[in-house]
């Protein structure tokens, strides 16, 4: 998740930029790339809670917590790389 998605998004955004499908706006490119490096959202937990499945929601929430903790380093590295690639700073 934290390697394949950012790499494939980097290739897709680079291709789209060269093809003229997106502008050369560095903030736009940075946001498009940044989305691919983020961990999963809490939507599954919310849907399980609405479906009245608190046990399953708790298990998914615990898994997401582990993913969030494990994503600290890769997300930081990708943000740094994407900022350099997009020339945001």
């Amino acid at each position: 998740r934290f390697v394949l998605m950012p790499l494939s998004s980097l290739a897709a955004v680079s291709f789209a930029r060269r093809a003229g499908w997106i502008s050369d706006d560095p903030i736009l490119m940075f946001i498009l790339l940044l989305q691919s490096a983020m961990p999963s959202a809490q939507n599954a937990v919310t849907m399980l809670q609405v479906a009245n499945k608190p046990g399953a929601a708790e298990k998914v929430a615990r898994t997401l917590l582990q993913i969030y903790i494990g994503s600290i380093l890769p997300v930081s590295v990708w943000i740094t790389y994407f900022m350099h690639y997009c020339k945001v700073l």
Side-chain angles (χ1 to χ4, degrees):
R1 165 96 177 126
F2 293 114
V3 176
L4 294 179
M5 286 300 295
L7 287 175
S8 62
S9 293
L10 184 61
V13 168
S14 297
F15 176 77
R17 185 179 53 148
R18 278 188 242 118
W21 295 344
I22 61 173
S23 68
D24 282 338
D25 181 16
I27 298 297
L28 172 64
M29 290 190 312
F30 178 70
I31 295 300
L32 291 173
L33 293 170
L34 183 65
Q35 290 177 350
S36 68
M38 292 294 116
S40 300
Q42 292 279 339
N43 296 343
V45 176
T46 304
M47 289 188 304
L48 287 168
Q49 288 174 339
V50 169
N52 200 23
K53 297 183 179 183
E58 184 178 336
K59 288 179 184 177
V60 172
R62 285 184 185 168
T63 302
L64 285 175
L65 178 62
Q66 293 171 354
I67 291 171
Y68 292 162
I69 291 170
S71 71
I72 293 171
L73 182 62
V75 168
S76 300
V77 169
W78 280 117
I79 288 173
T80 303
Y81 178 75
F82 291 154
M83 289 178 83
H84 175 72
Y85 178 80
C86 297
K87 298 179 177 91
V88 173
L89 288 180

